[in-house]
Amino acid sequence: MLSSKRLVLAHFWLAFGLFGLALLLGAWQMLIRSPLLDWIGNPEWYYRSVTAHGTVMAYVFPTLISMGFGYAISESALGQPLVGRRWAWLGFVLVLVGAVTAMVPVSLGLASVLYTFYPPMIGNPFYYIGIVLAVVGSWIWVALMGVNLHAWKRDNPGASVPLAMYGNMAGAFLWAWTSLGAALEILLLILPASLGWVDAINAGLARVFFSWTLHAIVYFWLMPAYIAFYTIVPRAIGSRLYSDTMGRVAFALFLVFSMPIGIHHLFADPEVGAGFKFVHATMTAMVSVPTFLAVFTIVASVEIVARLRGGRGAFGWVKALPWGNPM
């Protein structure tokens, strides 16, 4: 039983509450752009909706899911109460306050800059302050994952870190890295311009900072799903993972290949040299390796247990899986 159940559920309830609102906005956007309705008289409403939808879906929703999921993994995989629960609640409150602070100016039409917030489009400073607050709250989660793993290793010297927590730490490291780009863009470039402290902005540098965040964040979104596949699927089929080592290698390779490849979003930008673009293109191709490893490991785990249960043929083993188990 999780001693931090209320903390975990608070993150999930807030995440899916915001997800529900963003879902409605997304459906409205599709309806407006469809032949079923005429284009709205004031396009500003559409861009408000896109900004709110994108900000929630790209930043707030996946961050809350990863935070709540991470706290649950920390307790269940390490078998110890969460260290620093009060700090965890502070992180949750910061994300909540940050989300509200960012959404108010968006709803008022003061920050219709889309979730990419590329200069020279500049929104109300409270939009950016809200994003920074949410990111700082998530950094508390990153720190707590490290603190809890350190406490476990102190009490279990020489023991192998459970795979779920290993992947959880990979996700925390990935978020710490990927969120830093957008944070630097906001703090060093956009927020000073939004507050009127400067009258010029380096749009090219801002795009480089944002590209820092733009790709690695995708794998941060996926980390909870990978952890669930690696840990829940074997349990659901009554087997074990084909290769624990291969799972750890996949998580490590996600950090190696996905963290530094954001510049592949800037292939047409002249301020980035061709050499950097080549390196990022190469590493973009290489990030497929841990994905293939993950797919192979999970499917092999499933196929082996199905064949042990009598499955035969190239695809006949699929029938031998425990389809009666809702999980």
Side-chain angles (χ1 to χ4, degrees), residues 188-201:
L188 300 181
L189 298 173
I190 296 183
L191 193 54
S194 180
L195 291 168
W197 295 347
V198 296
D199 56 6
I201 191 168

Side-chain angles (χ1 to χ4, degrees), residues 215 219 253 256-265 267 273-290 292:
H215 189 82
Y219 293 96
L253 288 181
V256 172
F257 292 129
S258 72
M259 287 170 72
I261 60 174
I263 285 179
H264 72 204
H265 290 274
F267 281 159
F276 277 104
K277 291 176 181 177
F278 175 78
V279 170
H280 283 239
T282 303
M283 297 191 75
T284 300
M286 291 300 296
V287 83
S288 63
V289 174
F292 284 134

Side-chain angles (χ1 to χ4, degrees), residues 52-307:
H53 172 86
T55 301
V56 168
M57 298 295 268
Y59 304 124
V60 184
F61 169 71
T63 303
L64 284 168
I65 290 294
S66 293
M67 290 170 68
F69 189 77
Y71 293 135
I73 289 294
S74 178
E75 286 202 347
S76 59
L78 299 182
Q80 66 182 21
L82 183 71
V83 178
R85 197 176 307 165
R86 289 184 178 180
W87 283 99
W89 278 111
L90 174 61
F92 171 78
V93 170
L94 284 175
V95 175
L96 173 60
V97 172
V100 173
T101 303
M103 287 301 103
V104 168
V106 172
S107 64
L108 295 175
L110 302 176
S112 301
V113 294
L114 313 185
Y115 84 99
T116 51
F117 40 80
Y118 282 137
M121 290 194 299
I122 300 294
N124 184 276
F126 282 100
Y127 173 67
Y128 305 111
I129 291 171
I131 293 175
V132 170
L133 286 174
V135 170
V136 170
S138 70
W139 285 347
I140 293 177
W141 167 71
V142 173
L144 287 177
M145 292 302 95
V147 167
N148 279 268
L149 181 58
H150 175 75
W152 180 86
K153 295 186 75 170
R154 183 190 59 214
D155 297 335
N156 299 269
S160 178
V161 177
L163 179 60
M165 190 62 186
Y166 188 94
N168 196 30
M169 284 305 306
F173 286 146
L174 192 56
W175 175 245
W177 167 268
T178 190
S179 60
L180 190 57
L184 288 173
E185 180 194 10
I186 291 174
L187 292 174
L188 300 181
L189 298 173
I190 296 183
L191 193 54
S194 180
L195 291 168
W197 295 347
V198 296
D199 56 6
I201 191 168
N202 188 329
L205 180 59
R207 284 174 58 81
V208 171
F209 276 141
F210 191 79
S211 72
W212 179 336
T213 290
L214 193 54
H215 189 82
I217 196 174
V218 174
Y219 293 96
F220 167 67
W221 296 339
L222 290 173
M223 278 299 184
Y226 278 112
I227 296 170
F229 272 119
Y230 274 123
T231 56
I232 296 176
V233 169
R235 184 177 300 178
I237 61 177
S239 179
R240 63 180 181 83
L241 197 64
Y242 172 74
S243 174
D244 182 90
T245 301
M246 197 174 290
R248 295 172 191 271
V249 169
F251 282 125
L253 288 181
F254 275 123
L255 296 184
V256 172
F257 292 129
S258 72
M259 287 170 72
I261 60 174
I263 285 179
H264 72 204
H265 290 274
L266 303 179
F267 281 159
D269 285 40
E271 71 272 3
V272 180
F276 277 104
K277 291 176 181 177
F278 175 78
V279 170
H280 283 239
T282 303
M283 297 191 75
T284 300
M286 291 300 296
V287 83
S288 63
V289 174
T291 302
F292 284 134
L293 281 176
V295 172
F296 175 83
T297 303
I298 294 163
V299 174
S301 305
V302 172
E303 181 177 353
I304 288 172
V305 71
R307 291 192 181 281

